[in-house]
PDB file of all heavy atoms in Angstrom:
ATOM      1  N   ASN A 192     -11.776 -10.428  15.718  1.00 88.00           N
ATOM      2  CA  ASN A 192     -10.524  -9.927  16.301  1.00 88.00           C
ATOM      3  C   ASN A 192      -9.655 -11.097  16.693  1.00 88.00           C
ATOM      4  O   ASN A 192     -10.166 -12.146  17.145  1.00 88.00           O
ATOM      5  CB  ASN A 192     -10.807  -9.031  17.480  1.00 88.00           C
ATOM      6  CG  ASN A 192      -9.528  -8.457  18.146  1.00 88.00           C
ATOM      7  OD1 ASN A 192      -8.949  -9.125  18.943  1.00 88.00           O
ATOM      8  ND2 ASN A 192      -9.196  -7.223  17.747  1.00 88.00           N
ATOM      9  N   ALA A 193      -8.333 -10.935  16.648  1.00 87.00           N
ATOM     10  CA  ALA A 193      -7.403 -12.050  16.970  1.00 87.00           C
ATOM     11  C   ALA A 193      -7.604 -12.534  18.354  1.00 87.00           C
ATOM     12  O   ALA A 193      -7.527 -13.752  18.639  1.00 87.00           O
ATOM     13  CB  ALA A 193      -5.957 -11.589  16.739  1.00 87.00           C
ATOM     14  N   VAL A 194      -7.808 -11.639  19.301  1.00 87.00           N
ATOM     15  CA  VAL A 194      -7.949 -12.019  20.682  1.00 87.00           C
ATOM     16  C   VAL A 194      -9.260 -12.826  20.868  1.00 87.00           C
ATOM     17  O   VAL A 194      -9.320 -13.829  21.576  1.00 87.00           O
ATOM     18  CB  VAL A 194      -8.021 -10.787  21.594  1.00 87.00           C
ATOM     19  CG1 VAL A 194      -8.299 -11.197  23.054  1.00 87.00           C
ATOM     20  CG2 VAL A 194      -6.705 -10.026  21.528  1.00 87.00           C
ATOM     21  N   ASP A 195     -10.354 -12.404  20.194  1.00 88.00           N
ATOM     22  CA  ASP A 195     -11.602 -13.105  20.221  1.00 88.00           C
ATOM     23  C   ASP A 195     -11.507 -14.516  19.595  1.00 88.00           C
ATOM     24  O   ASP A 195     -12.101 -15.454  20.101  1.00 88.00           O
ATOM     25  CB  ASP A 195     -12.714 -12.283  19.555  1.00 88.00           C
ATOM     26  CG  ASP A 195     -13.005 -11.010  20.277  1.00 88.00           C
ATOM     27  OD1 ASP A 195     -12.841 -10.998  21.543  1.00 88.00           O
ATOM     28  OD2 ASP A 195     -13.424 -10.014  19.631  1.00 88.00           O
ATOM     29  N   ILE A 196     -10.728 -14.604  18.514  1.00 89.00           N
ATOM     30  CA  ILE A 196     -10.531 -15.911  17.862  1.00 89.00           C
ATOM     31  C   ILE A 196      -9.805 -16.876  18.843  1.00 89.00           C
ATOM     32  O   ILE A 196     -10.208 -18.023  19.014  1.00 89.00           O
ATOM     33  CB  ILE A 196      -9.718 -15.765  16.566  1.00 89.00           C
ATOM     34  CG1 ILE A 196     -10.492 -14.982  15.519  1.00 89.00           C
ATOM     35  CG2 ILE A 196      -9.410 -17.138  16.034  1.00 89.00           C
ATOM     36  CD1 ILE A 196      -9.707 -14.651  14.258  1.00 89.00           C
ATOM     37  N   ALA A 197      -8.781 -16.388  19.496  1.00 88.00           N
ATOM     38  CA  ALA A 197      -8.036 -17.190  20.426  1.00 88.00           C
ATOM     39  C   ALA A 197      -8.962 -17.669  21.582  1.00 88.00           C
ATOM     40  O   ALA A 197      -8.880 -18.773  22.034  1.00 88.00           O
ATOM     41  CB  ALA A 197      -6.867 -16.382  21.013  1.00 88.00           C
ATOM     42  N   SER A 198      -9.822 -16.742  22.062  1.00 87.00           N
ATOM     43  CA  SER A 198     -10.739 -17.117  23.127  1.00 87.00           C
ATOM     44  C   SER A 198     -11.757 -18.182  22.638  1.00 87.00           C
ATOM     45  O   SER A 198     -12.041 -19.076  23.404  1.00 87.00           O
ATOM     46  CB  SER A 198     -11.538 -15.837  23.583  1.00 87.00           C
ATOM     47  OG  SER A 198     -12.429 -16.150  24.568  1.00 87.00           O
ATOM     48  N   LEU A 199     -12.250 -18.048  21.411  1.00 87.00           N
ATOM     49  CA  LEU A 199     -13.172 -19.002  20.885  1.00 87.00           C
ATOM     50  C   LEU A 199     -12.511 -20.359  20.688  1.00 87.00           C
ATOM     51  O   LEU A 199     -13.066 -21.414  21.083  1.00 87.00           O
ATOM     52  CB  LEU A 199     -13.706 -18.522  19.520  1.00 87.00           C
ATOM     53  CG  LEU A 199     -14.618 -19.496  18.711  1.00 87.00           C
ATOM     54  CD1 LEU A 199     -15.889 -19.763  19.543  1.00 87.00           C
ATOM     55  CD2 LEU A 199     -14.970 -18.898  17.366  1.00 87.00           C
ATOM     56  N   LEU A 200     -11.313 -20.358  20.212  1.00 87.00           N
ATOM     57  CA  LEU A 200     -10.574 -21.639  19.957  1.00 87.00           C
ATOM     58  C   LEU A 200     -10.238 -22.330  21.257  1.00 87.00           C
ATOM     59  O   LEU A 200     -10.030 -23.569  21.295  1.00 87.00           O
ATOM     60  CB  LEU A 200      -9.300 -21.352  19.173  1.00 87.00           C
ATOM     61  CG  LEU A 200      -9.435 -21.557  17.610  1.00 87.00           C
ATOM     62  CD1 LEU A 200     -10.568 -20.699  17.057  1.00 87.00           C
ATOM     63  CD2 LEU A 200      -8.120 -21.221  16.941  1.00 87.00           C
ATOM     64  N   SER A 201     -10.111 -21.566  22.372  1.00 86.00           N
ATOM     65  CA  SER A 201      -9.769 -22.177  23.671  1.00 86.00           C
ATOM     66  C   SER A 201     -10.865 -23.068  24.173  1.00 86.00           C
ATOM     67  O   SER A 201     -10.645 -23.922  25.043  1.00 86.00           O
ATOM     68  CB  SER A 201      -9.449 -21.093  24.707  1.00 86.00           C
ATOM     69  OG  SER A 201     -10.658 -20.379  25.048  1.00 86.00           O
ATOM     70  N   GLU A 202     -12.070 -22.956  23.591  1.00 84.00           N
ATOM     71  CA  GLU A 202     -13.207 -23.767  24.070  1.00 84.00           C
ATOM     72  C   GLU A 202     -13.344 -25.049  23.218  1.00 84.00           C
ATOM     73  O   GLU A 202     -14.252 -25.878  23.473  1.00 84.00           O
ATOM     74  CB  GLU A 202     -14.466 -22.949  23.981  1.00 84.00           C
ATOM     75  CG  GLU A 202     -14.483 -21.699  24.879  1.00 84.00           C
ATOM     76  CD  GLU A 202     -15.786 -20.933  24.792  1.00 84.00           C
ATOM     77  OE1 GLU A 202     -16.827 -21.541  24.611  1.00 84.00           O
ATOM     78  OE2 GLU A 202     -15.755 -19.716  24.904  1.00 84.00           O
ATOM     79  N   LEU A 203     -12.525 -25.224  22.219  1.00 85.00           N
ATOM     80  CA  LEU A 203     -12.618 -26.338  21.297  1.00 85.00           C
ATOM     81  C   LEU A 203     -11.805 -27.529  21.778  1.00 85.00           C
ATOM     82  O   LEU A 203     -10.848 -27.370  22.541  1.00 85.00           O
ATOM     83  CB  LEU A 203     -12.169 -25.955  19.857  1.00 85.00           C
ATOM     84  CG  LEU A 203     -12.873 -24.773  19.194  1.00 85.00           C
ATOM     85  CD1 LEU A 203     -12.291 -24.598  17.790  1.00 85.00           C
ATOM     86  CD2 LEU A 203     -14.376 -25.005  19.135  1.00 85.00           C
ATOM     87  N   GLU A 204     -12.184 -28.734  21.327  1.00 83.00           N
ATOM     88  CA  GLU A 204     -11.395 -29.945  21.552  1.00 83.00           C
ATOM     89  C   GLU A 204     -10.091 -29.831  20.710  1.00 83.00           C
ATOM     90  O   GLU A 204     -10.037 -29.071  19.734  1.00 83.00           O
ATOM     91  CB  GLU A 204     -12.167 -31.190  21.156  1.00 83.00           C
ATOM     92  CG  GLU A 204     -13.430 -31.354  21.941  1.00 83.00           C
ATOM     93  CD  GLU A 204     -13.179 -31.647  23.430  1.00 83.00           C
ATOM     94  OE1 GLU A 204     -12.102 -32.187  23.743  1.00 83.00           O
ATOM     95  OE2 GLU A 204     -14.056 -31.275  24.218  1.00 83.00           O
ATOM     96  N   ASP A 205      -9.099 -30.580  21.118  1.00 80.00           N
ATOM     97  CA  ASP A 205      -7.797 -30.532  20.372  1.00 80.00           C
ATOM     98  C   ASP A 205      -7.891 -30.775  18.884  1.00 80.00           C
ATOM     99  O   ASP A 205      -7.354 -30.003  18.064  1.00 80.00           O
ATOM    100  CB  ASP A 205      -6.832 -31.561  20.953  1.00 80.00           C
ATOM    101  CG  ASP A 205      -6.295 -31.122  22.353  1.00 80.00           C
ATOM    102  OD1 ASP A 205      -6.489 -29.918  22.679  1.00 80.00           O
ATOM    103  OD2 ASP A 205      -5.696 -31.993  23.034  1.00 80.00           O
ATOM    104  N   LYS A 206      -8.669 -31.764  18.450  1.00 79.00           N
ATOM    105  CA  LYS A 206      -8.794 -32.061  17.044  1.00 79.00           C
ATOM    106  C   LYS A 206      -9.427 -30.889  16.294  1.00 79.00           C
ATOM    107  O   LYS A 206      -9.000 -30.479  15.220  1.00 79.00           O
ATOM    108  CB  LYS A 206      -9.605 -33.339  16.861  1.00 79.00           C
ATOM    109  CG  LYS A 206      -9.691 -33.806  15.449  1.00 79.00           C
ATOM    110  CD  LYS A 206     -10.462 -35.133  15.354  1.00 79.00           C
ATOM    111  CE  LYS A 206     -10.512 -35.592  13.893  1.00 79.00           C
ATOM    112  NZ  LYS A 206     -11.312 -36.858  13.782  1.00 79.00           N
ATOM    113  N   GLU A 207     -10.464 -30.301  16.907  1.00 83.00           N
ATOM    114  CA  GLU A 207     -11.159 -29.172  16.265  1.00 83.00           C
ATOM    115  C   GLU A 207     -10.289 -27.925  16.289  1.00 83.00           C
ATOM    116  O   GLU A 207     -10.306 -27.134  15.368  1.00 83.00           O
ATOM    117  CB  GLU A 207     -12.457 -28.852  17.045  1.00 83.00           C
ATOM    118  CG  GLU A 207     -13.499 -30.018  16.998  1.00 83.00           C
ATOM    119  CD  GLU A 207     -14.535 -29.887  18.076  1.00 83.00           C
ATOM    120  OE1 GLU A 207     -14.344 -29.051  19.003  1.00 83.00           O
ATOM    121  OE2 GLU A 207     -15.543 -30.608  18.009  1.00 83.00           O
ATOM    122  N   LEU A 208      -9.431 -27.793  17.321  1.00 87.00           N
ATOM    123  CA  LEU A 208      -8.528 -26.654  17.457  1.00 87.00           C
ATOM    124  C   LEU A 208      -7.556 -26.616  16.270  1.00 87.00           C
ATOM    125  O   LEU A 208      -7.388 -25.555  15.606  1.00 87.00           O
ATOM    126  CB  LEU A 208      -7.755 -26.733  18.745  1.00 87.00           C
ATOM    127  CG  LEU A 208      -6.547 -25.768  18.921  1.00 87.00           C
ATOM    128  CD1 LEU A 208      -7.025 -24.325  18.896  1.00 87.00           C
ATOM    129  CD2 LEU A 208      -5.805 -26.047  20.241  1.00 87.00           C
ATOM    130  N   ALA A 209      -6.930 -27.715  15.943  1.00 85.00           N
ATOM    131  CA  ALA A 209      -5.952 -27.846  14.876  1.00 85.00           C
ATOM    132  C   ALA A 209      -6.641 -27.465  13.534  1.00 85.00           C
ATOM    133  O   ALA A 209      -6.060 -26.711  12.708  1.00 85.00           O
ATOM    134  CB  ALA A 209      -5.321 -29.163  14.810  1.00 85.00           C
ATOM    135  N   LEU A 210      -7.830 -28.003  13.320  1.00 86.00           N
ATOM    136  CA  LEU A 210      -8.555 -27.758  12.081  1.00 86.00           C
ATOM    137  C   LEU A 210      -8.953 -26.254  11.947  1.00 86.00           C
ATOM    138  O   LEU A 210      -8.752 -25.663  10.925  1.00 86.00           O
ATOM    139  CB  LEU A 210      -9.811 -28.626  12.046  1.00 86.00           C
ATOM    140  CG  LEU A 210     -10.685 -28.494  10.809  1.00 86.00           C
ATOM    141  CD1 LEU A 210      -9.942 -28.758   9.540  1.00 86.00           C
ATOM    142  CD2 LEU A 210     -11.932 -29.407  10.937  1.00 86.00           C
ATOM    143  N   ALA A 211      -9.490 -25.706  13.048  1.00 88.00           N
ATOM    144  CA  ALA A 211      -9.906 -24.293  12.992  1.00 88.00           C
ATOM    145  C   ALA A 211      -8.775 -23.357  12.809  1.00 88.00           C
ATOM    146  O   ALA A 211      -8.865 -22.383  12.079  1.00 88.00           O
ATOM    147  CB  ALA A 211     -10.683 -23.969  14.312  1.00 88.00           C
ATOM    148  N   PHE A 212      -7.592 -23.648  13.456  1.00 88.00           N
ATOM    149  CA  PHE A 212      -6.454 -22.792  13.301  1.00 88.00           C
ATOM    150  C   PHE A 212      -5.949 -22.686  11.892  1.00 88.00           C
ATOM    151  O   PHE A 212      -5.534 -21.643  11.415  1.00 88.00           O
ATOM    152  CB  PHE A 212      -5.286 -23.235  14.228  1.00 88.00           C
ATOM    153  CG  PHE A 212      -4.156 -22.248  14.274  1.00 88.00           C
ATOM    154  CD1 PHE A 212      -4.206 -21.203  15.137  1.00 88.00           C
ATOM    155  CD2 PHE A 212      -3.060 -22.385  13.452  1.00 88.00           C
ATOM    156  CE1 PHE A 212      -3.158 -20.273  15.208  1.00 88.00           C
ATOM    157  CE2 PHE A 212      -2.043 -21.469  13.497  1.00 88.00           C
ATOM    158  CZ  PHE A 212      -2.077 -20.399  14.384  1.00 88.00           C
ATOM    159  N   ARG A 213      -6.028 -23.800  11.153  1.00 87.00           N
ATOM    160  CA  ARG A 213      -5.577 -23.799   9.771  1.00 87.00           C
ATOM    161  C   ARG A 213      -6.527 -23.008   8.832  1.00 87.00           C
ATOM    162  O   ARG A 213      -6.134 -22.693   7.719  1.00 87.00           O
ATOM    163  CB  ARG A 213      -5.462 -25.249   9.254  1.00 87.00           C
ATOM    164  CG  ARG A 213      -4.307 -26.000   9.910  1.00 87.00           C
ATOM    165  CD  ARG A 213      -4.144 -27.399   9.294  1.00 87.00           C
ATOM    166  NE  ARG A 213      -2.890 -28.012   9.700  1.00 87.00           N
ATOM    167  CZ  ARG A 213      -2.791 -28.969  10.658  1.00 87.00           C
ATOM    168  NH1 ARG A 213      -3.892 -29.321  11.267  1.00 87.00           N
ATOM    169  NH2 ARG A 213      -1.603 -29.430  10.953  1.00 87.00           N
ATOM    170  N   LEU A 214      -7.717 -22.630   9.345  1.00 87.00           N
ATOM    171  CA  LEU A 214      -8.662 -21.868   8.529  1.00 87.00           C
ATOM    172  C   LEU A 214      -8.569 -20.337   8.802  1.00 87.00           C
ATOM    173  O   LEU A 214      -9.214 -19.545   8.182  1.00 87.00           O
ATOM    174  CB  LEU A 214     -10.087 -22.357   8.826  1.00 87.00           C
ATOM    175  CG  LEU A 214     -10.392 -23.792   8.435  1.00 87.00           C
ATOM    176  CD1 LEU A 214     -11.796 -24.224   8.910  1.00 87.00           C
ATOM    177  CD2 LEU A 214     -10.273 -23.972   6.922  1.00 87.00           C
ATOM    178  N   ILE A 215      -7.706 -19.991   9.810  1.00 89.00           N
ATOM    179  CA  ILE A 215      -7.522 -18.542  10.120  1.00 89.00           C
ATOM    180  C   ILE A 215      -6.731 -17.901   9.000  1.00 89.00           C
ATOM    181  O   ILE A 215      -5.766 -18.488   8.478  1.00 89.00           O
ATOM    182  CB  ILE A 215      -6.772 -18.397  11.455  1.00 89.00           C
ATOM    183  CG1 ILE A 215      -7.564 -18.986  12.607  1.00 89.00           C
ATOM    184  CG2 ILE A 215      -6.431 -16.927  11.724  1.00 89.00           C
ATOM    185  CD1 ILE A 215      -6.797 -19.104  13.916  1.00 89.00           C
ATOM    186  N   PRO A 216      -7.111 -16.680   8.605  1.00 84.00           N
ATOM    187  CA  PRO A 216      -6.370 -15.916   7.565  1.00 84.00           C
ATOM    188  C   PRO A 216      -4.836 -15.944   7.902  1.00 84.00           C
ATOM    189  O   PRO A 216      -4.507 -15.669   9.076  1.00 84.00           O
ATOM    190  CB  PRO A 216      -6.950 -14.596   7.551  1.00 84.00           C
ATOM    191  CG  PRO A 216      -8.327 -14.770   8.088  1.00 84.00           C
ATOM    192  CD  PRO A 216      -8.234 -15.869   9.088  1.00 84.00           C
ATOM    193  N   LYS A 217      -3.988 -16.202   6.940  1.00 80.00           N
ATOM    194  CA  LYS A 217      -2.571 -16.317   7.185  1.00 80.00           C
ATOM    195  C   LYS A 217      -1.991 -15.103   7.883  1.00 80.00           C
ATOM    196  O   LYS A 217      -1.140 -15.182   8.788  1.00 80.00           O
ATOM    197  CB  LYS A 217      -1.827 -16.549   5.877  1.00 80.00           C
ATOM    198  CG  LYS A 217      -0.341 -16.784   6.036  1.00 80.00           C
ATOM    199  CD  LYS A 217       0.334 -17.065   4.691  1.00 80.00           C
ATOM    200  CE  LYS A 217       1.836 -17.265   4.841  1.00 80.00           C
ATOM    201  NZ  LYS A 217       2.557 -16.179   5.470  1.00 80.00           N
ATOM    202  N   GLU A 218      -2.432 -13.902   7.448  1.00 78.00           N
ATOM    203  CA  GLU A 218      -1.890 -12.639   8.036  1.00 78.00           C
ATOM    204  C   GLU A 218      -2.258 -12.453   9.473  1.00 78.00           C
ATOM    205  O   GLU A 218      -1.688 -11.637  10.198  1.00 78.00           O
ATOM    206  CB  GLU A 218      -2.290 -11.464   7.201  1.00 78.00           C
ATOM    207  CG  GLU A 218      -3.809 -11.198   7.118  1.00 78.00           C
ATOM    208  CD  GLU A 218      -4.503 -11.949   6.001  1.00 78.00           C
ATOM    209  OE1 GLU A 218      -3.860 -12.863   5.435  1.00 78.00           O
ATOM    210  OE2 GLU A 218      -5.686 -11.657   5.820  1.00 78.00           O
ATOM    211  N   GLU A 219      -3.236 -13.195   9.988  1.00 86.00           N
ATOM    212  CA  GLU A 219      -3.714 -13.053  11.381  1.00 86.00           C
ATOM    213  C   GLU A 219      -3.365 -14.197  12.261  1.00 86.00           C
ATOM    214  O   GLU A 219      -3.440 -14.159  13.459  1.00 86.00           O
ATOM    215  CB  GLU A 219      -5.221 -12.866  11.355  1.00 86.00           C
ATOM    216  CG  GLU A 219      -5.745 -12.096  12.576  1.00 86.00           C
ATOM    217  CD  GLU A 219      -7.225 -11.647  12.440  1.00 86.00           C
ATOM    218  OE1 GLU A 219      -7.894 -12.090  11.501  1.00 86.00           O
ATOM    219  OE2 GLU A 219      -7.674 -10.901  13.312  1.00 86.00           O
ATOM    220  N   ALA A 220      -2.859 -15.285  11.606  1.00 87.00           N
ATOM    221  CA  ALA A 220      -2.596 -16.555  12.361  1.00 87.00           C
ATOM    222  C   ALA A 220      -1.570 -16.317  13.500  1.00 87.00           C
ATOM    223  O   ALA A 220      -1.728 -16.824  14.588  1.00 87.00           O
ATOM    224  CB  ALA A 220      -2.111 -17.630  11.414  1.00 87.00           C
ATOM    225  N   ALA A 221      -0.480 -15.602  13.235  1.00 87.00           N
ATOM    226  CA  ALA A 221       0.585 -15.395  14.210  1.00 87.00           C
ATOM    227  C   ALA A 221       0.061 -14.686  15.445  1.00 87.00           C
ATOM    228  O   ALA A 221       0.373 -14.985  16.585  1.00 87.00           O
ATOM    229  CB  ALA A 221       1.747 -14.680  13.611  1.00 87.00           C
ATOM    230  N   GLU A 222      -0.788 -13.625  15.210  1.00 86.00           N
ATOM    231  CA  GLU A 222      -1.321 -12.850  16.308  1.00 86.00           C
ATOM    232  C   GLU A 222      -2.286 -13.654  17.138  1.00 86.00           C
ATOM    233  O   GLU A 222      -2.323 -13.538  18.374  1.00 86.00           O
ATOM    234  CB  GLU A 222      -2.021 -11.588  15.783  1.00 86.00           C
ATOM    235  CG  GLU A 222      -2.374 -10.624  16.902  1.00 86.00           C
ATOM    236  CD  GLU A 222      -2.978  -9.302  16.398  1.00 86.00           C
ATOM    237  OE1 GLU A 222      -3.006  -9.096  15.161  1.00 86.00           O
ATOM    238  OE2 GLU A 222      -3.456  -8.507  17.200  1.00 86.00           O
ATOM    239  N   VAL A 223      -3.093 -14.519  16.497  1.00 89.00           N
ATOM    240  CA  VAL A 223      -3.999 -15.380  17.237  1.00 89.00           C
ATOM    241  C   VAL A 223      -3.200 -16.363  18.081  1.00 89.00           C
ATOM    242  O   VAL A 223      -3.461 -16.587  19.267  1.00 89.00           O
ATOM    243  CB  VAL A 223      -4.910 -16.185  16.235  1.00 89.00           C
ATOM    244  CG1 VAL A 223      -5.704 -17.246  17.017  1.00 89.00           C
ATOM    245  CG2 VAL A 223      -5.824 -15.237  15.495  1.00 89.00           C
ATOM    246  N   PHE A 224      -2.135 -16.925  17.458  1.00 89.00           N
ATOM    247  CA  PHE A 224      -1.273 -17.895  18.211  1.00 89.00           C
ATOM    248  C   PHE A 224      -0.645 -17.249  19.438  1.00 89.00           C
ATOM    249  O   PHE A 224      -0.575 -17.837  20.494  1.00 89.00           O
ATOM    250  CB  PHE A 224      -0.192 -18.394  17.258  1.00 89.00           C
ATOM    251  CG  PHE A 224       0.657 -19.485  17.803  1.00 89.00           C
ATOM    252  CD1 PHE A 224       0.282 -20.787  17.779  1.00 89.00           C
ATOM    253  CD2 PHE A 224       1.923 -19.169  18.413  1.00 89.00           C
ATOM    254  CE1 PHE A 224       1.061 -21.801  18.336  1.00 89.00           C
ATOM    255  CE2 PHE A 224       2.684 -20.169  18.932  1.00 89.00           C
ATOM    256  CZ  PHE A 224       2.298 -21.502  18.914  1.00 89.00           C
ATOM    257  N   ALA A 225      -0.172 -15.964  19.277  1.00 86.00           N
ATOM    258  CA  ALA A 225       0.434 -15.292  20.411  1.00 86.00           C
ATOM    259  C   ALA A 225      -0.487 -15.037  21.589  1.00 86.00           C
ATOM    260  O   ALA A 225      -0.068 -14.882  22.712  1.00 86.00           O
ATOM    261  CB  ALA A 225       0.994 -13.925  19.926  1.00 86.00           C
ATOM    262  N   ASN A 226      -1.810 -15.024  21.287  1.00 87.00           N
ATOM    263  CA  ASN A 226      -2.839 -14.787  22.324  1.00 87.00           C
ATOM    264  C   ASN A 226      -3.380 -16.058  22.936  1.00 87.00           C
ATOM    265  O   ASN A 226      -4.249 -16.014  23.804  1.00 87.00           O
ATOM    266  CB  ASN A 226      -3.972 -13.919  21.783  1.00 87.00           C
ATOM    267  CG  ASN A 226      -3.637 -12.460  21.656  1.00 87.00           C
ATOM    268  OD1 ASN A 226      -3.600 -11.735  22.654  1.00 87.00           O
ATOM    269  ND2 ASN A 226      -3.369 -12.036  20.458  1.00 87.00           N
ATOM    270  N   MET A 227      -2.862 -17.227  22.504  1.00 88.00           N
ATOM    271  CA  MET A 227      -3.320 -18.527  23.049  1.00 88.00           C
ATOM    272  C   MET A 227      -2.605 -18.846  24.344  1.00 88.00           C
ATOM    273  O   MET A 227      -1.502 -18.340  24.637  1.00 88.00           O
ATOM    274  CB  MET A 227      -3.089 -19.613  21.996  1.00 88.00           C
ATOM    275  CG  MET A 227      -4.006 -19.574  20.820  1.00 88.00           C
ATOM    276  SD  MET A 227      -3.572 -20.869  19.640  1.00 88.00           S
ATOM    277  CE  MET A 227      -4.977 -20.752  18.517  1.00 88.00           C
ATOM    278  N   ASN A 228      -3.236 -19.746  25.118  1.00 85.00           N
ATOM    279  CA  ASN A 228      -2.546 -20.193  26.335  1.00 85.00           C
ATOM    280  C   ASN A 228      -1.484 -21.255  25.981  1.00 85.00           C
ATOM    281  O   ASN A 228      -1.430 -21.749  24.859  1.00 85.00           O
ATOM    282  CB  ASN A 228      -3.528 -20.703  27.388  1.00 85.00           C
ATOM    283  CG  ASN A 228      -4.347 -21.891  26.884  1.00 85.00           C
ATOM    284  OD1 ASN A 228      -3.824 -22.840  26.273  1.00 85.00           O
ATOM    285  ND2 ASN A 228      -5.662 -21.876  27.135  1.00 85.00           N
ATOM    286  N   ASN A 229      -0.689 -21.586  26.972  1.00 82.00           N
ATOM    287  CA  ASN A 229       0.506 -22.463  26.741  1.00 82.00           C
ATOM    288  C   ASN A 229       0.124 -23.843  26.250  1.00 82.00           C
ATOM    289  O   ASN A 229       0.741 -24.378  25.327  1.00 82.00           O
ATOM    290  CB  ASN A 229       1.325 -22.619  28.052  1.00 82.00           C
ATOM    291  CG  ASN A 229       1.840 -21.282  28.519  1.00 82.00           C
ATOM    292  OD1 ASN A 229       2.027 -20.368  27.742  1.00 82.00           O
ATOM    293  ND2 ASN A 229       2.056 -21.149  29.779  1.00 82.00           N
TER     294      ASN A 229
END
């Protein structure tokens, strides 16, 4: 789920975060991004 992905990515280091985000399915990326912290 997009919310769970955002929660998982919040525990990653910055370098890993950028890499992992680029692997998210395109149709779900915007929703994951909207659920991330500032």
